[in-house]
């Protein structure tokens, strides 16, 4: 009885671990969607070019080797398809951000069709299953997709190949192809899973490293490195949604707060205000960065001068309404000062100048008594 309970416990543990692993793979796939798309695009482009070159070479060989002449039509059609898919990948696929994954299946379906023709209708119908076995193995290793879809495709292709072998080949030839195709089907599924799990793990590790590099470790919001990368994207003329305004934010008398309550309490305030600004930015559609020390920078889109000023004033008011205690200050609570500037240039986006203007407006707010927002006045 105890042994049965132990077995059931082990089975439950195994099923739970498999479920956890599946959930992690699913989450990693979602988190690395763009990286997977890029990988599939590169693999599709290179595979279609290699397929075109191989088929074109086989077409040339048909003029010199009589045993290959029967496949000239198949090789020619395959070469044309491979060439068209390569041109499609280079000229349209990446430019128009079309998902490359469906074209993986198209390319390898054409390849498998060629392999079936080669196996069943050349050499008096006694060709080998080598091409078919190699293609399903390559497809499984190079394609990044949900595991069950790739496995289902490989199994379906193997079943069709086996049925065709039974219909078009002699019994010894069919038996040989059935054994080879089943073995390689299992091999392709096993090796493909290992390969995809390894790639997905690498993508996730790279994503985490990029995220840690671009996030401020204390507040969890993007740091100045992220700011420069975002500005670099927005400075490109093709950027569809550039920044149009900047709000520089500074915690009032923060050095005194640190000296009074200690650096741990100061870190807690920075984290609290940073998290608030991040969540506030999600609601009001602006990006916030930790600019340095107790300074934060909010970059806004699609805001005119008056709306930007209203947003800055609202941020100052909302921080004040949080009523974070600061007993040695005049208002007895944590307050912030803010300076905002709107990008007026219609041509080149001078973000360095925009941030400098917001910083100038911030110092005007601090000189005017703090706990307020000042708009930069363009001359």
């Amino acid at each position: 009885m105890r042994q049965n309970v132990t077995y059931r416990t082990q089975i439950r543990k195994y099923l739970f671990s498999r479920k956890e692993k599946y959930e992690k793979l699913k989450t990693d796939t979602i988190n690395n969607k763009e990286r997977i798309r890029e990988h599939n695009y590169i693999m599709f482009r290179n595979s279609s070019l290699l397929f075109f070159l191989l088929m074109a070479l086989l077409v040339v060989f048909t003029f010199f080797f009589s045993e290959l002449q029967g496949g000239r039509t198949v090789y020619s059609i395959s070469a044309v398809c491979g060439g068209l898919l390569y041109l499609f990948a280079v000229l349209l696929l990446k430019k128009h951000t079309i998902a490359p994954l469906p074209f993986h299946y198209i390319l390898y379906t054409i390849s498998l069709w060629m392999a079936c023709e080669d196996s069943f209708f050349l050499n008096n119908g006694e060709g080998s299953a080598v091409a078919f076995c190699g293609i399903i193995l390559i497809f499984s290793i190079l394609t990044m997709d949900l595991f069950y879809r790739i496995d289902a495709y490989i199994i379906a292709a193997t079943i069709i190949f086996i049925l065709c072998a039974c219909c078009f080949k002699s019994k010894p030839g069919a038996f040989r192809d059935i054994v080879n195709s089943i073995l390689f089907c299992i091999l392709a599924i096993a090796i493909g899973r290992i390969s995809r799990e390894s790639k997905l793990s690498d993508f996730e590790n790279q994503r985490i490293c990029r995220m840690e590099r671009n996030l401020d470790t204390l507040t969890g919001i993007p740091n100045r490195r992220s700011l420069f990368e975002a500005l670099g994207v927005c400075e490109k003329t093709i950027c569809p949604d550039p920044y149009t305004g900047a709000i520089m934010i500074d915690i009032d008398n923060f050095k005194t707060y640190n000296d009074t309550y200690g650096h741990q309490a100061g870190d807690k305030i920075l984290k609290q205000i940073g998290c608030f600004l991040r969540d506030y930015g999600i609601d009001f559609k602006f990006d916030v960065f930790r600019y340095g020390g107790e300074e934060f920078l909010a970059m806004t889109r699609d805001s005119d001068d008056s709306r930007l000023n209203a947003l800055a004033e609202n941020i100052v008011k909302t921080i004040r309404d949080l009523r974070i205690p600061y007993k040695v200050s005049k208002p007895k609570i944590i307050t912030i000062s803010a300076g905002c500037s709107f990008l007026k240039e219609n041509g080149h986006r001078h973000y360095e100048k925009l941030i400098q203007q917001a910083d100038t407006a911030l110092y005007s707010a601090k000189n005017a008594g703090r706990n307020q927002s000042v708009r930069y006045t363009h001359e």
Side-chain angles (χ1 to χ4, degrees):
M1 185 70 179
R2 286 182 180 178
Q3 194 174 14
N4 291 336
V5 172
T6 304
Y7 285 148
R8 285 199 296 269
T9 304
Q10 289 176 347
I11 290 170
R12 279 198 295 268
K13 284 182 179 179
Y14 173 76
L15 292 176
F16 182 74
S17 66
R18 295 299 301 177
K19 183 180 179 182
E20 276 191 327
K21 185 176 181 181
Y22 171 77
E23 291 297 330
K24 185 180 185 307
L25 289 172
K26 186 177 177 182
T27 303
D28 290 350
T29 301
I30 294 170
N31 290 339
N32 296 279
K33 185 169 60 176
E34 291 305 317
R35 184 68 184 87
I36 290 171
R37 178 194 285 263
E38 181 185 358
H39 168 86
N40 280 336
Y41 168 75
I42 293 171
M43 291 299 104
F44 171 66
R45 183 193 62 196
N46 295 344
S47 297
S48 58
L49 176 61
L50 186 61
F51 182 69
F52 163 72
L53 293 174
L54 180 61
M55 292 300 103
L57 190 62
L58 285 173
V59 171
V60 174
F61 283 168
T62 59
F63 292 98
F64 299 97
F65 300 97
S66 57
E67 60 270 23
L68 296 177
Q69 287 180 1
R72 185 180 298 167
T73 302
V74 174
Y75 299 150
S76 300
I77 294 172
S78 299
V80 170
C81 291
L84 290 175
L85 287 172
Y86 175 72
L87 290 175
F88 175 76
V90 172
L91 299 178
L92 295 174
L93 197 57
K94 191 170 186 180
K95 182 179 179 182
H96 295 280
T97 62
I98 301 170
L101 186 58
F103 301 98
H104 270 262
Y105 288 92
I106 292 172
L107 174 64
Y108 282 96
T109 300
I110 296 170
S111 303
L112 291 173
W113 165 71
M114 181 277 300
C116 290
E117 289 277 349
D118 207 31
S119 177
F120 303 140
F121 302 112
L122 291 183
N123 298 321
N124 298 317
E126 293 300 323
S128 69
V130 172
F132 173 84
C133 294
I135 288 167
I136 60 172
L137 187 60
I138 293 170
F139 168 79
S140 182
I141 293 172
L142 297 185
T143 307
M144 291 288 290
D145 191 13
L146 297 175
F147 284 30
Y148 77 87
R149 278 206 295 238
I150 290 183
D151 294 347
Y153 178 82
I154 291 171
I155 292 169
T158 303
I159 291 172
I160 293 171
F161 185 82
I162 289 172
L163 292 175
C164 291
C166 293
C167 293
F168 297 111
K169 284 199 168 188
S170 62
K171 286 186 178 180
F175 178 76
R176 183 188 64 227
D177 281 1
I178 290 170
V179 172
N180 288 336
S181 59
I182 290 175
L183 288 175
F184 267 84
C185 174
I186 297 170
L187 193 64
I189 290 172
I191 293 178
R193 279 177 172 265
I194 294 170
S195 173
R196 288 191 297 280
E197 285 180 11
S198 176
K199 288 174 186 172
L200 201 53
S201 177
D202 287 343
F203 293 165
E204 180 64 8
N205 290 336
Q206 290 170 16
R207 185 187 72 84
I208 291 171
C209 287
R210 285 196 303 271
M211 187 174 66
E212 290 177 347
R213 184 190 66 179
N214 292 331
L215 286 183
D216 177 60
T217 54
L218 176 63
T219 61
I221 64 175
N223 56 21
R224 194 182 285 201
R225 181 196 293 270
S226 292
L227 170 65
F228 292 149
E229 290 180 359
L231 295 181
V233 173
C234 288
E235 283 175 352
K236 296 178 181 177
T237 55
I238 59 172
C239 179
D241 195 20
Y243 293 128
T244 56
I247 305 173
M248 188 70 78
I249 299 163
D250 184 81
I251 303 174
D252 293 333
N253 300 309
F254 185 72
K255 186 178 183 302
T256 307
Y257 187 93
N258 263 341
D259 294 340
T260 304
Y261 296 97
H263 287 283
Q264 286 187 338
D267 288 347
K268 187 177 178 181
I269 293 298
L270 286 171
K271 188 173 182 179
Q272 187 175 355
I273 291 180
C275 291
F276 162 77
L277 290 172
R278 179 194 61 202
D279 296 339
Y280 203 76
I282 293 172
D283 294 335
F284 288 88
K285 296 181 174 55
F286 64 79
D287 297 332
V288 63
F289 305 88
R290 186 176 180 191
Y291 197 70
E294 65 272 22
E295 285 189 329
F296 299 88
L297 177 66
M299 300 297 296
T300 63
R301 296 180 171 92
D302 296 328
S303 293
D304 57 28
D305 207 351
S306 59
R307 278 190 297 178
L308 182 67
N309 187 51
L311 177 61
E313 290 177 351
N314 201 21
I315 291 173
V316 172
K317 179 182 180 300
T318 308
I319 292 289
R320 186 167 57 239
D321 291 343
L322 292 176
R323 311 295 296 179
I324 303 171
Y326 185 6
K327 294 180 181 179
V328 299
S329 69
K330 266 190 178 182
K332 305 299 181 183
I333 55 173
I334 288 287
T335 60
I336 63 170
S337 300
C340 60
S341 180
F342 180 69
L343 188 67
K344 287 188 173 295
E345 288 84 357
N346 295 322
H348 184 69
R349 303 179 185 113
H350 301 282
Y351 287 116
E352 186 178 351
K353 182 179 178 182
L354 176 71
I355 294 170
Q356 186 180 10
Q357 291 170 351
D359 197 45
T360 301
L362 168 65
Y363 277 94
S364 298
K366 293 174 82 66
N367 292 333
R370 297 184 172 88
N371 190 20
Q372 60 184 290
S373 170
V374 170
R375 177 173 54 185
Y376 181 82
T377 304
H378 292 270
E379 296 178 357

